[in-house]
């Protein structure tokens, strides 16, 4: 039986994939919730409601081919700005300096794009790296554009020089102000550092090992950013009295744990930020602990609403809704049925974990753990058809038998291969056979 | 022609008696005691959302719509509809009625609908289909089975407007008994899908027991077309898939049969929740007729429902019994 509930009138569809039948003593409910912008509801937002900030690392380590590539990439990104979009280009080292315009933001047109391009072409590399400071600066620009889609590209090649406290305060201060796609160029930066930022800022993280590839990457990020139609969406989860939310994770296109991002909303409800949204579809894995029911009881274990916050005179809007259910049964044929989606994404989340733990163990010299975890990753990647990740794993381990996860660590592994695997470990594939 | 049908004071229908519908109870949630004023999700007091689902806004438990077990007994017709032992909801619905106009024959009609489980809110389709068909069958202008099924189909199709991804749909089986002027009753049976009507009588009766309907199901149609033998057809995964239904994407074209029984008997309407366990007309007659003797049609409906539940109750069960022929002439 299909458990998906119609979402009614709304710009988003919310499909729920779960086995709602629970054995008598069970209290945990798992569901995969697919949120899709409905056809026709996802045209790009008006340009006047989009803010784009490009932050380029200009520290000393960028000297040479990196700063040249960064200039080209920034110029390429500027060329992608739609007319009417507000924008700014920021050069970051141990201080933060606006390249264009001098203060605030400019509106994109042929003239402003040309002016910005001229200034970007003169960027030089000098000084240290203070990423927290850059984020604080962009946060300030973003707050001048309430209601807009606010997006930043952050490019760096090095490790942050700020104290952990300073950085973490700055990151917390910028939360929710804008979304940020982070790119590490070369191999001298730290994956976990950029991943922390990208996760917190609801963006992506990737490695651009060869500076020559930067321009194409920036162009594609900008293409995505310019297509966003709705800002600041939230996933609102209502749960019954006595229930607790074990986790809320985005599981496609990549794994992002949103559990700790909850803010209390209406009665028995919490909001999880989703950032801005274009013509796209994302999957979320919810795990909810509910009070035990009697055989034959049907309980609404969760009600997922996609909410656009109100601003000014515009009231809050519910754009789509789906129901997660729990039905207690003595029929084991029903309760032992496995939801394909839940099983698949549980595997994809474990895959990401296994890679990150395996690489950490390898770095620490614990070859036994590294071999076991990376072997498990190879098996999971093979079983789920995650060919991209399987290929990256193959550069770090020698695969003896993929299905059983039998591997040998490679003696010599290029930094770029290890970092690429780490960076892309959270990328998931959707359930096989689905469009 | 029905000027005097409704009470001038309260509008009550003076000619027709009906049964079979269940009303959703109002008041506090029986599980946690929440009332509409101190805990709501939706606008109606108990969190009905856009999909028409009904859960308590505090504890999340599905609120009963009163259809877990429904009984109707109008004397001339009686029925039971039960959720069964496995399904969460009762997606079956029945409507039974007697029209007793002052200057016309007393009509007895019954409708059983079985919601298609794989769609959204099938219980709404069953309810709408059963009610619409019954009203048309008990029209003072005379019953018209084709029109009754057509109106049921329209009522079910109208539910699709509510924005369902998979709009509600259901089967339908209906029967109307016209007593006739000379004491020779005419029975008209119409159906769409695999709910059934049986004629039940003793083995030596003038009109022996038999199944009056032919399921609109994959297996039966394959067998009827000579494409497959019984064994192969019934073993197929699609054997029980229905080929006609009311609602989105369905073909609501009914088959209609009319017959005048040579003797008295019992008309039995049921959903597959009963006949999956007891498909043979002779077996059904053996189980039903002694109860009819002792307790009337209500006892028959209850007894056959119990048989289905005792056998496992894997599906919703609906059983409606209509005795046909003058009671003093009935020989079972």
């Amino acid at each position: 039986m299909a458990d998906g509930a119609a979402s009614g009138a709304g710009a988003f569809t919310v499909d729920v994939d779960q086995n709602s039948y629970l054995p008598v003593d069970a209290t945990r409910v798992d569901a995969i919730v697919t949120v899709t912008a409905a056809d026709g509801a996802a045209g790009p937002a008006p340009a006047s409601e989009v803010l784009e900030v490009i932050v380029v690392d200009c520290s000393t380590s960028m000297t040479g081919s990196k700063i040249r590539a960064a200039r080209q990439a920034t110029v390429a990104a500027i060329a992608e700005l739609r007319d009417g979009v507000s924008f700014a280009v920021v050069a970051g080292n141990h201080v933060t300096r606006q390249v264009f315009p001098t203060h605030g933001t400019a509106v994109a047109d042929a003239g402003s794009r040309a002016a910005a391009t001229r200034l970007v072409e003169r960027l030089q590399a000098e000084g240290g790296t203070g990423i927290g400071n850059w984020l604080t600066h962009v946060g300030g620009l973003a707050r001048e554009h309430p209601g807009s889609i606010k997006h930043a590209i952050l490019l760096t090649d090095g490790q942050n020089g700020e104290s952990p406290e300073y950085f973490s305060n700055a990151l917390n201060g910028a939360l929710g102000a804008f979304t940020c796609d982070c790119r590490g160029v070369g191999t001298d930066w730290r994956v976990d550092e950029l991943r922390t930022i990208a996760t917190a800022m609801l963006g992506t993280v990737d490695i651009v090992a060869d500076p020559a590839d930067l321009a194409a990457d920036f162009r594609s990020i900008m293409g995505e950013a310019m297509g966003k139609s709705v800002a600041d969406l939230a996933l609102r989860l209502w749960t019954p009295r006595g229930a607790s939310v074990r986790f809320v994770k985005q599981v496609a296109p990549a794994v992002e744990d949103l559990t700790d991002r909850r803010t209390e909303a209406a009665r028995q409800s919490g909001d999880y930020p989703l950032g801005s949204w274009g013509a796209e579809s994302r999957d979320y894995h919810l795990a909810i602990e509910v009070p035990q029911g009697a055989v034959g009881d049907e309980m609404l274990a969760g009600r997922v609403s996609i909410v656009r916050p109100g601003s000014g005179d515009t009231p809050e809007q519910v754009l789509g809704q789906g129901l997660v259910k729990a039905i207690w049964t003595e029929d084991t044929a029903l309760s032992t049925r496995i939801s394909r989606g839940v099983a698949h994404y549980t595997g994809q989340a474990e895959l990401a974990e296994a890679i990150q733990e395996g690489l950490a163990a390898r770095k620490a010299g614990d070859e036994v753990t590294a071999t076991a975890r990376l072997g498990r990753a190879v098996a999971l990647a093979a079983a789920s058809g995650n060919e991209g990740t399987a290929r990256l794993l193959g550069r770090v381990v020698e695969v003896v038998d993929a299905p059983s996860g039998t591997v040998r660590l490679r003696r010599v592994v290029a930094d770029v291969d290890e970092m690429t695997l780490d960076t892309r470990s959270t990328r998931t594939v959707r359930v096989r056979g689905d469009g | 022609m029905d000027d005097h049908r409704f009470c001038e004071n309260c509008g009550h229908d003076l000619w027709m008696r009906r049964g079979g519908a269940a009303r959703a109870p109002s008041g506090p949630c029986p599980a946690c005691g929440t009332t509409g004023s101190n805990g709501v999700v939706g606008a109606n007091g108990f969190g009905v959302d856009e999909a028409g689902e009904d859960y308590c806004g505090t504890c999340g438990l599905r609120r009963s719509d009163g259809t877990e077990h429904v009984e109707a007994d109008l004397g001339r017709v009686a029925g039971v509809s039960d959720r069964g032992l496995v399904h969460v909801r009762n997606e079956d619905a029945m409507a039974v009625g007697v029209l007793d106009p002052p200057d016309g024959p007393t009509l007895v009609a019954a409708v059983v609908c079985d919601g298609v489980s794989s769609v959204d809110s099938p219980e709404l389709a069953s309810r709408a289909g059963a009610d619409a068909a019954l009203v048309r069958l008990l029209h003072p202008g005379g019953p018209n089975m084709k029109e009754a099924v057509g109106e049921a189909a329209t009522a079910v199709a109208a539910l699709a407007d509510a924005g369902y991804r998979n709009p509600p749909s259901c089967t339908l089986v209906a029967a109307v008994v016209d007593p006739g002027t000379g004491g020779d009753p005419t029975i008209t049976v119409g159906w769409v899908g695999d709910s059934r009507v049986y004629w039940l009588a003793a083995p030596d009766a003038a009109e022996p027991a038999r199944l009056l309907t032919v399921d609109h199901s994959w297996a039966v149609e394959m067998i009827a077309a000579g494409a497959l033998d019984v064994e192969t057809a019934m073993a197929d995964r699609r054997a029980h898939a229905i080929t006609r239904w009311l609602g989105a994407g369905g073909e609501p074209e009914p088959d209609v049969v009319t017959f005048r029984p040579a003797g008295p008997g019992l008309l039995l309407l049921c959903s597959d929740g009963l006949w999956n366990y007891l498909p043979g007309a002779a077996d059904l007659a053996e189980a039903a007729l002694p109860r009819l003797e002792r307790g009337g049609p209500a006892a028959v409906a209850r007894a056959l429902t119990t048989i289905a539940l005792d056998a496992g109750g894997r599906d919703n069960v609906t059983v409606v019994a209509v005795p046909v022929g003058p009671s003093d002439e009935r020989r079972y």
Side-chain angles (χ1 to χ4, degrees):
Chain A
M1 194 207 297
D3 289 317
S7 62
F12 282 70
T13 57
V14 179
D15 288 301
V16 178
D17 175 12
Q18 66 163 149
N19 176 13
S20 44
Y21 290 95
L22 302 182
V24 180
D25 52 354
T27 55
R28 173 168 160 154
V29 183
D30 280 278
I32 301 297
V33 174
T34 301
V35 179
T36 309
D39 293 343
S48 61
E49 293 171 17
V50 178
L51 169 67
E52 186 63 43
V53 183
I54 304 163
V55 184
V56 188
D57 184 346
C58 291
S59 62
T60 308
S61 59
M62 290 286 288
T63 307
S65 67
K66 285 185 200 161
I67 193 72
R68 280 199 299 277
R71 283 186 215 126
Q72 284 167 10
T74 307
V75 166
I78 290 168
E80 296 293 315
L81 291 167
R82 280 195 284 146
D83 277 353
V85 164
S86 297
F87 79 104
V89 181
V90 173
N93 46 28
H94 56 291
V95 293
T96 310
R97 182 176 67 89
Q98 275 215 191
V99 178
F100 184 86
T102 321
H103 301 286
T105 57
V107 173
D109 60 23
S112 61
R113 277 193 296 262
T117 300
R118 275 195 304 276
L119 292 166
V120 165
E121 281 167 346
R122 288 187 220 152
L123 283 177
Q124 298 296 324
E126 58 182 339
T129 306
I131 300 179
N133 194 271
W134 309 348
L135 295 175
T136 304
H137 181 87
V138 180
L141 293 177
R143 275 183 253 282
E144 300 295 314
H145 294 261
S148 286
I149 291 170
K150 290 150 294 204
H151 175 255
I153 301 180
L154 190 155
L155 174 73
T156 183
D157 77 325
Q159 299 170 23
N160 194 31
E162 295 162 332
S163 76
E165 293 76 24
Y166 182 89
F167 172 72
S168 127
N169 283 339
L171 184 61
N172 285 333
L175 281 187
F178 57 98
T179 58
C180 185
D181 287 318
C182 301
R183 292 296 180 266
V185 60
T187 54
D188 294 330
W189 53 282
R190 280 183 43 201
V191 176
D192 55 348
E193 209 168 78
L194 273 204
R195 182 151 54 217
T196 303
I197 300 169
T199 301
M201 306 303 291
L202 302 170
T204 61
V205 57
D206 203 0
I207 181 172
V208 184
D210 184 349
D213 295 334
L214 258 188
D217 190 51
F218 268 35
R219 205 174 291 126
S220 108
I221 296 174
M222 288 296 284
E224 285 262 317
M226 292 297 112
K228 296 295 181 190
S229 50
V230 196
D232 300 331
L233 284 186
L235 184 156
R236 177 166 299 168
L237 178 59
W238 174 95
T239 46
R241 189 170 68 189
S244 59
V245 178
R246 280 173 81 135
F247 61 74
V248 174
K249 278 181 199 165
Q250 179 186 292
V251 288
V255 180
E256 295 285 2
D257 196 336
L258 302 177
T259 313
D260 296 335
R261 307 293 301 274
R262 178 183 172 111
T263 51
E264 293 306 310
R267 202 179 61 94
Q268 294 176 218
S269 300
D271 282 358
Y272 300 83
L274 304 182
S276 50
W277 207 288
E280 61 188 304
S281 177
R282 304 181 200 167
D283 294 347
Y284 300 89
H285 183 173
L286 316 184
I288 303 165
E289 199 73 41
V290 294
Q292 196 174 326
V295 169
D297 277 354
E298 176 176 347
M299 181 187 283
L300 187 62
R303 180 192 308 263
V304 176
S305 308
I306 300 304
V307 179
R308 190 199 335 228
S311 68
D313 295 337
T314 323
E316 172 181 290
Q317 267 180 294
V318 175
L319 304 177
Q321 202 167 79
L323 305 179
V324 178
K325 298 174 189 175
I327 301 165
W328 281 270
T329 179
E330 284 177 315
D331 186 340
T332 51
L334 290 172
S335 61
T336 55
R337 214 168 47 182
I338 288 166
S339 155
R340 230 157 53 103
V342 172
H344 173 78
Y345 283 126
T346 302
Q348 294 289 288
E350 194 196 340
L351 172 59
E353 255 173 47
I355 291 171
Q356 289 168 26
E357 287 168 11
L359 290 177
R362 190 177 176 280
K363 227 170 262 168
D366 177 355
E367 295 203 354
V368 175
T369 306
T371 308
R373 299 309 289 146
L374 293 172
R376 175 72 183 145
V378 164
L380 287 165
S384 61
N386 193 334
E387 282 153 25
T389 299
R391 203 181 55 243
L392 296 173
L393 275 163
R395 301 207 182 123
V396 176
V397 295
E398 200 180 313
V399 179
V400 179
D401 180 49
S404 67
T406 310
V407 302
R408 276 192 291 271
L409 295 182
R410 289 188 186 277
R411 283 289 155 89
V412 184
V413 176
D415 284 348
V416 57
D417 289 333
E418 193 167 334
M419 287 175 75
T420 305
L421 174 61
D422 194 354
T423 311
R424 297 186 184 166
S425 59
T426 55
R427 287 195 190 174
T428 56
V429 288
R430 291 195 140 146
V431 180
R432 278 183 193 183
D434 284 5
Chain B
M1 97 183 283
D2 49 359
D3 288 346
H4 307 293
R5 179 168 174 181
F6 301 99
C7 170
E8 289 296 323
N9 291 322
C10 67
H12 185 77
D13 189 330
L14 299 173
W15 296 358
M16 181 157 71
R17 289 181 298 132
R18 294 175 57 175
R23 275 202 314 266
S26 53
C29 171
C32 73
T34 300
T35 59
S37 58
N38 66 12
V40 292
V41 171
N44 74 333
F46 276 103
V48 167
D49 56 54
E50 290 152 16
E53 308 285 355
D54 193 354
Y55 302 90
C56 172
T58 297
C59 71
L61 272 183
R62 174 184 280 280
R63 304 203 66 228
S64 160
D65 60 358
T67 60
E68 282 78 4
H69 185 89
V70 182
E71 297 200 3
D73 183 2
L74 300 180
R76 289 168 177 266
V77 51
V80 172
S81 184
D82 194 282
R83 184 178 74 173
L85 303 178
V86 173
H87 280 260
V88 168
R89 295 179 293 203
N90 188 357
E91 296 166 357
D92 285 1
M94 64 174 173
V96 299
V98 176
L99 185 75
D100 200 6
D103 50 359
T106 299
L107 298 175
V108 179
V111 188
V112 168
C113 289
D114 179 354
V116 175
S117 288
S118 55
V119 303
D120 298 328
S121 300
E123 72 280 6
L124 300 182
S126 300
R127 184 74 265 149
D131 286 342
L134 185 81
V135 166
R136 180 60 192 85
L137 287 177
L138 293 181
H139 193 277
N144 183 315
M145 184 59 76
K146 286 242 177 201
E147 279 185 17
V149 177
E151 292 192 7
T154 304
V156 174
L159 296 172
D161 297 341
Y164 292 101
R165 187 90 38 90
N166 297 300
S169 54
C170 65
T171 71
L172 179 143
V173 64
V176 58
V177 181
D178 186 331
T181 43
D184 288 332
T186 302
I187 298 170
T188 307
V189 171
W191 72 98
V192 176
D194 69 349
S195 296
R196 291 180 172 181
V197 180
Y198 291 87
W199 173 258
L200 303 185
D204 60 348
E207 189 74 51
R210 67 184 184 275
L211 174 62
L212 300 179
T213 53
V214 179
D215 300 344
H216 297 137
S217 71
W218 188 88
V220 169
E221 298 205 349
M222 281 294 144
I223 296 160
L228 293 176
D229 61 59
V230 174
E231 200 169 308
T232 315
M234 294 309 292
D236 194 279
R237 192 170 47 81
R238 295 161 290 183
H240 289 275
I242 55 172
T243 51
R244 294 190 209 177
W245 61 88
L246 307 185
E251 188 193 343
E253 185 60 31
D255 277 332
V256 178
V257 296
T258 298
F259 88 114
R260 310 176 100 178
L266 177 70
L267 208 55
L268 186 81
L269 292 78
C270 65
S271 62
D272 60 347
L274 173 66
W275 69 252
N276 273 330
Y277 293 114
L278 207 57
D283 295 335
L284 284 166
E286 196 182 321
L289 298 179
R291 267 91 172 195
L292 183 61
E293 194 100 317
R294 291 201 297 273
V300 171
R302 270 188 226 118
L304 293 182
T305 303
T306 303
I307 287 173
L309 297 179
D310 288 347
R314 285 203 62 85
D315 205 347
N316 309 138
V317 188
T318 301
V319 183
V320 175
V322 191
V324 179
S327 58
D328 53 349
E329 283 179 24
R330 284 185 209 140
R331 287 178 298 102
Y332 306 111

